[in-house]
């Protein structure tokens, strides 16, 4: 069995500013998070992924960084952060942070110096053009919010490149000094004690942008350099990358052409995520089966990170237009629920109509597929979204802890909160909060704790193989298995509302003492596996055999 910790992790993604406020100023902080670590330990989380923690003008929820070597003063101090790492480690929880080095804020001292003079030592740290690039209205990441990817700077008297917003100028990855600085940033945080980085927008980090050349080359060797540097500074550090690229390009991010895993350790599986959403919308697992068959074989040590909801919109760009419209119709029927023409800005519980059966099914399925599961804060209690907030902020509302004012997130006046807490209706904190669910053994939170405990007793799910079991089955039922030296797990998930029966008697010779370890209800013992009942929106995790 692999001893790579990230293959058996449960990753929990959160924003410090919306998680827990300890000092009553309306903004979540590090001390507030420290006070909730025991909650995360009980949930079964083994790794926290923190969205940007650095000082920022905060025009893009912290992704516009103006100092890579410090913590946003709203959250606390570097000393507070060091204490967080210590307290988390004592509970067996690792911490990784966002590494946002594709660009900086236009308020960063590097850019302010770069634009001030042609002789600035930071001039070549950014990407410039003397004339208006002909492709400046191509390649926008946020259609409808961006008009172009090049903007004219009157002080510098040049055009500068920004793949994202115009207040986020891109760094010049071709400059050796920029590369050295990125390695230095990584070294700083690794020395402090983080266990790795979630790398934002990796395809744009390696892009060697040239004006008038929309197909600029990518220098993948920079990722190899960074991986080597990170591993040298901390042997078990991990790079988890966001790279929503074409399937035939994915293997390049894990390793070089020789098949060596010398680049990214983990990639978010955007292709599977889109297929999962399509399968849930259709009540049919064919898209998931296709994704499992189409997945490229990863080099040893390469790992997928699976997710249903993350901090951004549900990105459906990898689906066909027809498929995307199917998902929109089911999960984002109103135009206000959609974003950039490709995504849905909602949380999963309301997308599934608050149907507890479907929510459990969806997460049981995600957590049983190959790879490392990533869970967004608040999903474990079934939080909703606030569509009155702009863009992605709809799903970045404060955590709902209790029946106290502001959902127990903060003691500040409601008008002083970083964002409003959802109140009233089906998903308001009065009905959906962690404390109420803590007292209910049948709550969604209790179910998540039980499901994650079960997952951690089945290491073959994260570090073993994941295979579709191709047998006759009802149209809505997915059957798959996970195998490793530790044993075999068998999974049935019914994406439709129709009860079914599956004959898996052909697997009987492999079974030792098959038994349900997690299910939506009490079923008859698996027995000979030839008459396995599965309810509509039901799931069964069956331990087929265990090995020493």
């Amino acid at each position: 069995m692999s001893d790579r910790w990230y293959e058996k992790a449960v990753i929990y993604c959160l924003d410090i500013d919306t998680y827990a406020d300890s000092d009553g100023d309306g903004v979540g902080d590090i001390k507030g998070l420290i006070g909730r670590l025991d909650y995360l330990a009980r949930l079964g989380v083994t790794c926290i992924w923190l969205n940007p923690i650095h000082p920022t003008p905060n025009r893009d929820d912290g992704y516009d960084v103006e100092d890579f070597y410090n913590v946003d003063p709203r959250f606390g101090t570097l000393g507070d952060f060091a204490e967080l790492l210590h307290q988390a480690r004592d509970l067996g929880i690792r911490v990784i942070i966002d590494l946002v080095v594709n660009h900086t804020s236009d308020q960063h001292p590097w850019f302010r110096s770069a634009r001030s003079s042609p002789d600035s030592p930071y001039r070549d740290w950014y990407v410039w053009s003397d004339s208006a690039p002909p492709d400046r209205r191509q390649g926008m990441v946020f259609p409808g919010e961006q008009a172009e990817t090049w903007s004219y700077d009157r002080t510098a008297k040049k055009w500068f490149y920004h793949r994202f917003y115009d207040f986020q100028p891109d760094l010049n990855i071709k400059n050796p000094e920029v590369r050295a600085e990125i390695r230095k940033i990584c070294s700083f945080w690794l020395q402090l004690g983080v266990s790795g980085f979630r790398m934002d927008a990796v395809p744009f980090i390696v892009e060697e942008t040239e004006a008038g050349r929309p197909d600029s080359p990518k220098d993948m060797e920079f990722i190899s350099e960074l991986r080597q540097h990170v591993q040298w500074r901390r042997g078990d550090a991990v790079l988890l990358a966001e790279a929503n690229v074409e399937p035939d390009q994915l293997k390049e991010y894990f390793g070089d052409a020789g098949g060596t895993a010398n680049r990214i350790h983990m990639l978010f599986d955007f292709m599977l995520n889109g297929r999962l959403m399509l399968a849930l919308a259709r009540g049919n697992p064919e898209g998931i089966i296709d994704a499992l068959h189409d997945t490229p074989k990863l080099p040893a040590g390469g790992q997928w990170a699976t997710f249903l909801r993350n901090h951004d919109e549900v990105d459906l760009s990898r689906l066909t237009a027809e498929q995307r419209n199917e998902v929109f119709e089911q999960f984002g029927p109103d135009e206000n629920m959609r974003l950039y023409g490709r995504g849905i800005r909602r949380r999963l519980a309301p997308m599934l109509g608050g149907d507890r059966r479907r929510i459990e099914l969806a997460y049981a399925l995600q957590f049983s597929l190959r790879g490392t599961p990533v869970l967004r804060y608040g999903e474990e209690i079934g939080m909703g979204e606030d569509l009155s907030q702009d863009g992605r902020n709809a799903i970045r509302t404060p955590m709902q802890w209790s029946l106290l004012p502001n959902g127990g997130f903060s003691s500040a006046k409601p008008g002083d909160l970083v964002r409003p807490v959802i109140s009233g209706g089906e998903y308001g904190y009065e009905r959906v909060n962690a404390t109420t669910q803590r007292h209910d053994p049948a709550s969604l939170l209790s179910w998540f704790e039980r499901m994650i405990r079960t997952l951690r007793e089945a290491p073959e799910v994260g570090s073993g193989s994941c295979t579709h079991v191709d047998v006759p089955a009802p149209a809505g039922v997915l059957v798959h298995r996970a195998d490793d030296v530790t044993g075999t797990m068998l999974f049935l998930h019914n994406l439709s509302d129709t009860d079914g029966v599956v004959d898996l008697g052909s697997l009987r010779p492999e079974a030792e003492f098959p038994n349900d370890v997690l299910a939506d209800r009490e079923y008859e013992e698996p027995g000979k596996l030839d008459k396995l009942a599965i309810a509509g929106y039901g799931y069964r995790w069956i331990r087929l055999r265990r090995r020493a």
Side-chain angles (χ1 to χ4, degrees), residues 66 68 80 97 157 174 179 186 202 260 268 275 329 348 370 386 394 410 441 462 496 520:
E66 65 177 359
F68 290 101
D80 294 332
I97 64 172
K157 296 181 174 57
K174 290 191 289 187
R179 294 185 181 220
C186 291
V202 174
T260 303
F268 286 106
R275 302 284 182 84
E329 184 178 341
L348 193 74
R370 83 284 186 276
D386 181 355
S410 172
S496 77
D520 64 295

Side-chain angles (χ1 to χ4, degrees), residues 531-548:
K531 295 179 182 179
L532 291 174
I534 183 75
Y537 298 134
Y539 54 89
R540 295 180 71 172
W541 292 13
I542 299 173
R543 167 60 71 182
L544 202 62
R545 61 184 172 183
R546 184 183 296 280
R547 296 175 184 166

